[in-house]
Amino acid sequence: MCGIVGIVGQSNVNLAIYDALTVLQHRGQDAAGIVTSDKNRLYLRKDNGLVRDVFHTRHMRNLPGNMGVGHVRYPTAGSSGPAQAQPLYVNSPYGIALAHNGNLTNAEDLSGELFRDDLRHLNTDSDSEVLLNVLAHELQILRKVKPTATDVFTAVRALHQRCRGAYAVVAMIVGYGIVGFRDKYGIRPLVFGKRKARRGYEYMLASESVALDAQGFQLVRDVEPGEAIYIDIDGNVETRQCADDSRLVPCIFEHVYFARPDSRMDGVSVYSSRLKMGEKLAKKILRERPNHGIDVVIPIPDTSRTAAVELANALGVKFREGFVKNRYIGRTFIMPGQSQRKKSVKQKLNAIPQEFQDKTVLLVDDSIVRGTTCKQIIEMAREAGARRVYFSSASPPVRYPNVYGIDMPAVSELIAHNKTVEQVQQAIGADWLLYQDLPDLIDSCSAEILPMNFECSVFDGQYVTGDVSEAYLAMLEARRNDFAKQRRDREQEIFGPSGNDEDEAQLSLHRSS
């Protein structure tokens, strides 16, 4: 899961992209990058780390231009390191820089095609580099000196026919413009906005509407599944549907965990979705255990707070903040190794004893993935004096890996895989465990007027693209398990990160004429 942004403005856009990336930081904490275009030259700065650490004043001064693309990275199938940081760049044709959120399910096959048929070299194992080179090849075979919007849409249509999986993309063609597009299912989010400028409007494409809000852009709409939006360097906008049989099936885990509550996705308020999750959970508690005896509802900060507030209101039970969060620790779901996750939970949260002492507490979390975090939190609640500890998840049991851009662990590491709710309850040490029902989650995240379909594979094992085989899942298992990640970490400690060190790197490249 990553955050992407692209801006076409009327003056330097570097600071606007920086500020947008800080708003999207929750979507990726591994690496950050910005590329801008000025007078047919490309200027790039990217590195591992948070946005505030990657970009200093000296870097921002070296990013001129009225259009640019930014990215915050959260590693998925590929390894980490500066070479994997985005935006990625190819010099032919024109010079193209690309930022990608999602994951291609046929990246391995495409890599072979790019080498054998398209004569293109790939320098990393990133599926984003595959996607970039497919786009570049499809533009190159058109053999146009100056690409038009129609040429860009033709290339995107060809890309849709070759690429499978999930992708929201913002790509910059140096000296010409920016194109944004989503896969034909709209699995990954992308929104489009504008703001008034001296001459007409400036435009932004971003992963979440909060990035628009922070910069004073008005949300125009979501980019439709399979649609491409092209904004040329002068601010002219054209749109076109570029995929056959497109239909909206967005990832439901955006509403559960990843998106900020003040975002809107595909017309739905994330905050309202989470309120409804709490309301649905309360109704389930009253059905299954009307004499629940709960004294206090306590959220696991921060994502579950909205659901927990509404749950407590619906039950008529006190809501209390029982844990204080250290905001300088990253999101444990994103931590690469099991030992690191275990260590970070204690560093991340501290209990307030008076909220637990001699009480039956209901802890509310957004989801349970490995069970590592919630087991330790339950232990902390008992140590703080809780008489009974109930645990509820605002989402159903996570039983299957994600293949569309969320680094869900290997299936063997998912605590609910091949287990009953009672077995999970025993494994995490809760006195009672309650999961959200999937129909209730879907209803919570749907628009009020019409029901929606969602990509729910982590809960039901149904992969919307229809191309996910057992062999593919086995390959992901091998690449994602903690042992493989720890091995890559050890190799980086010994040999250093792969790729070039870009701590002071800034590219200034002529566009081919």
Side-chain angles (χ1 to χ4, degrees), residues 110-339:
L110 284 173
S111 296
E113 289 179 15
L114 286 166
F115 179 75
R116 291 189 310 270
D117 303 333
D118 302 345
L119 305 180
R120 286 188 166 268
H121 169 73
L122 299 178
N123 200 49
T124 71
D125 61 357
S126 169
D127 65 313
S128 301
E129 189 183 13
V130 171
L131 196 151
L132 169 60
N133 276 273
V134 170
L135 177 63
H137 175 75
E138 297 302 334
L139 276 169
Q140 185 149 5
I141 61 177
L142 298 177
R143 303 188 67 81
K144 296 291 187 69
V145 175
K146 294 183 178 180
T148 65
T150 297
D151 296 327
V152 173
F153 295 145
T154 299
V156 173
R157 171 170 284 276
L159 180 147
H160 284 317
Q161 293 170 353
R162 296 181 67 179
C163 296
R164 297 195 299 272
Y167 46 92
V169 172
V170 177
M172 180 172 67
I173 304 172
V174 180
Y176 291 112
I178 284 178
V179 60
F181 55 91
R182 294 170 82 179
D183 65 79
K184 71 175 186 176
Y185 299 104
I187 298 172
R188 292 285 148 248
L190 189 65
V191 296
F192 172 59
K194 65 180 182 179
R195 70 180 176 189
K196 190 72 176 175
R198 296 189 307 275
R199 306 180 308 277
Y201 290 92
E202 297 177 312
Y203 297 94
M204 179 189 287
L205 292 154
S207 292
E208 295 187 31
S209 61
V210 288
L212 305 178
D213 299 338
Q215 298 303 305
F217 283 77
Q218 173 192 352
L219 173 64
V220 176
R221 60 181 177 85
D222 295 88
V223 178
E224 296 295 325
E227 182 187 29
I229 295 181
Y230 181 68
I231 312 156
D232 71 21
I233 196 167
D234 296 318
N236 300 304
V237 180
E238 294 191 47
T239 69
R240 187 169 302 174
Q241 176 55 248
C242 297
D244 298 325
D245 303 321
S246 62
R247 58 190 175 96
L248 181 62
V249 193
C251 175
I252 203 165
F253 216 75
E254 291 279 357
H255 288 270
V256 171
Y257 177 81
F258 273 105
R260 275 182 39 158
D262 45 344
S263 283
R264 293 186 66 84
M265 290 188 163
D266 298 302
V268 178
S269 162
V270 176
Y271 178 76
S272 296
S273 294
R274 292 177 183 168
L275 286 176
K276 291 177 184 176
M277 292 177 205
E279 179 185 338
K280 299 284 187 182
L281 271 175
K283 290 180 178 179
K284 185 173 182 179
I285 289 171
L286 293 173
R287 285 197 310 269
E288 295 193 359
R289 194 172 291 197
N291 299 317
H292 50 74
I294 297 168
D295 297 311
V296 61
V297 173
I298 294 175
I300 311 302
D302 283 313
T303 321
S304 63
R305 183 176 285 115
T306 306
V309 168
E310 193 65 10
L311 190 157
N313 288 338
L315 290 181
V317 173
K318 291 179 182 179
F319 171 87
R320 289 290 185 268
E321 296 284 354
F323 294 103
V324 176
K325 180 180 179 181
N326 179 352
R327 301 189 183 279
Y328 300 96
I329 298 294
R331 303 177 89 173
T332 52
F333 175 71
I334 297 175
M335 295 291 182
Q338 188 78 343
S339 61

Side-chain angles (χ1 to χ4, degrees), residues 451-470:
M452 294 175 64
N453 295 316
F454 287 94
E455 200 290 307
C456 301
S457 58
V458 297
F459 306 125
D460 61 13
Q462 302 299 310
Y463 297 98
V464 66
T465 54
D467 62 336
V468 179
S469 64
E470 289 298 325

